[in-house]
Amino acid sequence: MQLKGKDLLGLAEMTAEEIDLILDTAARMKEIISRPIKKVPALRGRTVVNVFYEPSTRTRVSFELAAKYLSADSINISASASSVAKGESLKDTARTIEALGADVVVLRHPLAGAAHLLAKTINAAVVNAGDGAHEHPTQALLDIFTVKEKKGILKGVKVAIIGDILHSRVARSNIWGFFKMGANVVVCGPATVIPPEVERLGVRVYHRIEEAVCEADVIMMLRIQLERQKAGLFPSLREYSRLYCLNEERLSLAKPDALIMHPGPVNRGVEISPEMVEHPRSVINEQVTNGVAVRMAILYLLTERGG
Amino acid sequence: MNEKDLRQKAQILDAEGIRRALVRIAHEIVERNKGTENLALIGIQRRGVPLARRLSACIKEIEGSSVPIGILDITLYRDDLTTLSHQPLLQKTDVPFPVENKKIVLVDDVIYTGRTVRAALDAVIDLGRPKLIQLAVLIDRGHRELPIRADYVGKNVPTSRREVVAVRLMETDGEEKVLILEKKTNA
Amino acid sequence: MKLIIKGGRIIDPVARKMFFADVLVGEGKILAIGTDLGGEGEQCVAVDARGKLVAPGLIDMHVHLRDPGFEAKETIETGTRAAARGGFTSVACMPNTDPVADNKAVITYICARAKEKGLVNVFPVGAITAGCAGEQLSEMADLKAAGAVAVSDDGRCVANSGVLYRAMQYARMVGLPIIEHCEDAGLSAGGLVHEGYISTVLGLKGIPAAAETIMVARDIILAEATGCRLHVAHVSTAGSVELIRQAKAKGLPVTAEVTPHHFSLTEEAVVNFDPNTKVNPPLRSAADVRAVREGLRDGTIDVIATDHAPHTVQEKDVEYGLAPFGMVGLETAVGLVWTKLVLPGVLDPVEAIAKMTVNPARILGLSKGTLAVGADADITIIDPEREEVVDPARFASKGRNTPFAGWRLKGLPVVTIVGGKIVFRREGIIDGG
């Protein structure tokens, strides 16, 4: 069993078997993170390059630690989103990185499809760390890993994803991933940020959070961006919060052991009340830890070609 | 290597032979370490794990006290990861006791080049600093590529490099024997 | 020197019929059509058209030749060579050049350049408004006098209804049709692909079908109000087809075109983020494609035009969001018409040819698109059995931006004749005896 492609671009093109392989491997990696000496020599002499065209402390640090725990050398290249707009060629950057001898390139980019373009350009493995509103597969894999760890199974688990689905790469990847693993996924948000024909991805759509979280095993809240209000997609953060903020009352509609998840960073008091973030059922911090294990698994599984 | 390309050349041990070898090794471990105090067994995935369990059971019969068992997957410590066509599946590592100051006996089915043991030594030391590490194997087939030797050997079997030593255990293979297999020669 | 095309099957889109006959050509005109026309003496080149279809020269009323201003993408020379290779003997080129063809000088330049370097006839389209900016009317009478056959702000829609209303009044007076690119910028802003399943899957901003349909509705209303001839460019939505059908039923002076990519591809083509699928209007849903084909079949859509929009490799080989809109079309059009419309029975060969000859000729007021004796000897010979795999490396166009690379197309132009001269001969086609 191995991953089919040289890259990890999205969960849309992954099979349930591949996702299982990553989850199993991540479980082994999590054991390493729990050790006093968090290091194994598996990727000695390999180079992981993190190319981030968008600021993201969380994901970048997670990949960096994952590489270091596996003894790979990792370097970070930050480019501003404005350099993308100016037309600095991603392909030129990619070729430079490859000439430097990268084995894996982790790419965060504001435009959908950027990781696909990179993957076609270079021989190194490409890991999509978020491309526009398209996919963020490692985030979804760590979410799925967290749910599987807590619930034991994925089949039949009800996952409610609440927020701006239209602009969320996290939502897209999670919809694909959870659906493929047999979970029952529902999405919820204002009509203006529910993407068209999203039902074809196998999800149910709600506009009332109370209906969406009803009997849910997992409640995943998405970060709402202030820019969306400015773009006229909803009238105000105040009204958004009134309609969609996760609070104690809404949580009580879910199953008694429902998990509270959030990909971070959290807007306390906007999409989620401060008490919910600190709630005993909140696994928001564990998501971060599991993120390192999942990314270790991905780096390990993708650096497979003989050097 | 695909088992289909191999033919059986000889059987070295049967079930009874395996049992006797393990009993002897258990005695030797207890004797060399003067009892079971601070002693722990770590089986190397996969067939080292059931062998470690059996040795622990033997030692309990001899000494009356049980020895803790750990499971070690050495995949991430292999020195050939960069040359394999794809990454091997990771198996469980579970060492449920601190190795600090323990007398650790690593257990594996066959010692050949010594590279697996080298990886296991590194893996154990990454978990902490044991007092000492010993090595128990069911079969020593020679051809060492590193300065490593076993402290306890069930049976020494001279082999050629073209041959394969196959240990079959009930827990992993549903049968109990040790075979020498040989590559089929395609004329 | 005379030319005789022997043994072919003539397609007459005016009389709507097909028949076997030879065609004799001399001095740039069609001299005779009939059976067993002899070579009659001296120098007469014979073209063996047995098993082939002999049609009036094809007209593509919607291309971007990029000249002047964007010669890295295409020039009048390369664009007309691509037209010849695609079986087109005439093209109408859109005014969004640099400078914009909103004045007599640019129209005159295009005509002069085409005369000098062009392999096929070039008919310029002038701008509706100065700079295609949608505000100040261009000097349409002047444009017409210089050779413009229509006006359009193609690439953009005339957003201000008041401006378009007056443009239509004026264009009607001048006697030029208005070709509208129908797109409501408020609905399409920032959009990259059709709003639907694929935009959802890829996380690319969608352009709703309503962005086009709403403007088609407005334009029809204004055409009715002004009596101006309206030609709707690159129709892509089911809603547009329906509105145009209704307008025609009412007898309004409305015509429409569809591109080969909009009847051949759905939004699904975008799924791997190939920037060559990025086009405006976007590739639509399967239901829209069905509606467009039905519009072609029932005559609602008058014309097949390519919207040939070449770009350089460097411009297109970037992130989907950064690539410019547009794809080349001249050299794949006939193959797609045959493979996707004629062979599956959506259109018979006569109807298909009418939509690329007499129909656009009538809309633009060209005395072309027919094989009558005395007409210009613009002729396209099509081999309905010829099959080839699309290889952009062999394009005559500078543009290689096609999503059809690797497609096997059947039914291809093999000889293109402009003014009695053979300007293109497909590989393997030689003069007969």
Side-chain angles (χ1 to χ4, degrees), chain C residues 45-259:
Chain C
V45 177
V47 176
D48 181 1
R50 282 174 300 177
K52 302 183 178 64
L53 302 170
V54 180
L58 306 183
I59 300 165
D60 186 348
M61 69 175 288
H62 192 145
V63 304
H64 296 270
L65 294 180
R66 306 296 193 203
D67 188 353
F70 306 104
E71 291 85 353
K73 297 174 193 268
E74 193 82 288
T75 62
I76 288 169
E77 186 179 358
T78 58
T80 55
R81 206 180 298 149
R85 188 166 178 274
F88 293 96
T89 56
S90 299
V91 296
C93 59
M94 288 296 162
N96 56 342
T97 46
D98 184 19
V100 169
D102 59 2
N103 60 79
K104 187 177 171 178
V106 177
I107 299 291
T108 305
Y109 162 82
I110 292 168
C111 293
R113 193 77 185 157
K115 195 164 250 171
E116 184 191 352
K117 296 277 187 184
L119 217 50
V120 306
N121 308 300
V122 175
F123 298 98
V125 175
I128 298 172
T129 61
C132 293
E135 289 162 12
Q136 181 75 40
L137 296 191
S138 62
E139 295 170 338
M140 292 185 203
D142 231 16
L143 294 176
K144 187 178 184 190
V149 293
V151 284
S152 177
D153 277 359
D154 184 60
R156 293 190 200 164
C157 185
V158 180
N160 184 319
S161 303
V163 172
L164 186 65
Y165 182 60
R166 288 180 285 279
M168 283 186 167
Q169 290 176 319
Y170 201 87
R172 184 190 176 198
M173 175 192 80
V174 173
L176 286 175
I178 290 231
I179 302 174
E180 257 277 88
H181 168 120
C182 293
E183 176 183 352
D184 182 317
L187 284 169
S188 68
L192 301 169
V193 296
H194 174 61
E195 183 181 279
Y197 177 67
I198 290 297
S199 70
T200 291
V201 167
L202 299 184
L204 293 170
K205 189 164 184 333
I207 301 174
E212 171 180 311
T213 312
I214 198 169
M215 281 304 183
V216 171
R218 180 201 68 169
D219 288 5
I220 289 170
I221 291 165
L222 294 178
E224 182 172 19
T226 59
C228 179
R229 285 186 290 134
L230 168 68
H231 178 77
V232 182
H234 41 57
V235 167
S236 71
T237 72
S240 302
V241 175
E242 184 50 34
L243 288 168
I244 293 160
R245 187 177 287 127
Q246 289 167 11
K248 288 191 160 183
K250 279 174 81 175
L252 301 180
V254 176
T255 56
E257 73 192 25
V258 67
T259 69

Side-chain angles (χ1 to χ4, degrees), chain A residues 41-265:
Chain A
L43 298 190
R44 270 184 317 161
R46 305 287 198 161
T47 304
V48 177
V49 180
N50 299 312
V51 185
F52 278 65
Y53 283 90
E54 276 181 347
S56 155
T57 313
R58 197 173 284 249
T59 306
R60 204 202 67 227
V61 167
S62 184
F63 269 108
E64 215 176 322
L65 273 181
K68 288 187 190 324
Y69 289 170
L70 290 171
S71 301
D73 295 306
S74 88
I75 57 165
N76 297 313
I77 297 177
S78 302
S80 67
S82 62
S83 69
V84 176
K86 276 182 216 143
E88 242 166 65
S89 165
L90 174 63
K91 296 189 80 157
D92 287 344
T93 309
R95 292 201 183 95
T96 309
I97 293 163
E98 187 157 66
L100 292 171
D103 297 289
V104 181
V105 180
V106 176
L107 180 72
R108 160 67 63 91
H109 198 283
L111 296 174
H116 285 69
L117 176 68
L118 186 63
K120 273 183 263 179
T121 310
I122 62 176
N123 292 317
V126 173
V127 179
N128 183 3
D131 62 327
H134 177 226
E135 284 227 44
H136 191 352
T138 61
Q139 175 70 41
L141 287 164
L142 77 88
D143 291 338
I144 295 166
F145 180 83
T146 304
V147 172
K148 190 177 179 192
E149 202 179 37
K150 294 286 169 187
K151 298 284 170 193
I153 53 158
L154 292 167
K155 202 169 174 57
V157 167
K158 178 175 172 181
V159 181
I161 306 175
I162 321 283
D164 178 358
I165 310 295
L166 181 62
H167 300 94
S168 175
R169 52 193 171 211
V170 175
R172 273 179 186 75
S173 290
N174 268 309
I175 290 169
W176 285 117
F178 275 107
F179 180 74
K180 287 178 183 195
M181 302 314 284
N184 165 20
V185 187
V186 306
V187 299
C188 176
T192 43
V193 289
I194 297 294
E197 301 185 45
V198 70
E199 296 88 347
R200 281 176 67 187
L201 300 178
V203 305
R204 292 191 63 170
V205 176
Y206 294 97
H207 297 304
R208 292 191 60 227
I209 186 172
E210 290 80 5
E211 291 175 60
V213 301
C214 182
E215 289 299 301
D217 298 285
V218 177
I219 302 173
M220 187 181 294
M221 303 306 297
L222 300 175
R223 179 182 168 82
I224 194 80
Q225 311 270 9
L226 188 59
E227 304 95 270
R228 307 303 174 209
Q229 179 195 331
K230 290 180 190 149
L233 288 160
F234 54 89
S236 67
L237 282 182
R238 190 183 144 277
E239 176 151 308
Y240 180 85
S241 183
R242 196 170 67 72
L243 293 176
Y244 295 102
C245 183
L246 183 67
N247 54 29
E248 190 68 54
E249 196 188 333
R250 285 164 177 163
L251 178 66
S252 71
L253 301 170
K255 290 221 181 105
D257 60 347
L259 303 178
I260 301 168
M261 303 180 80
H262 192 299

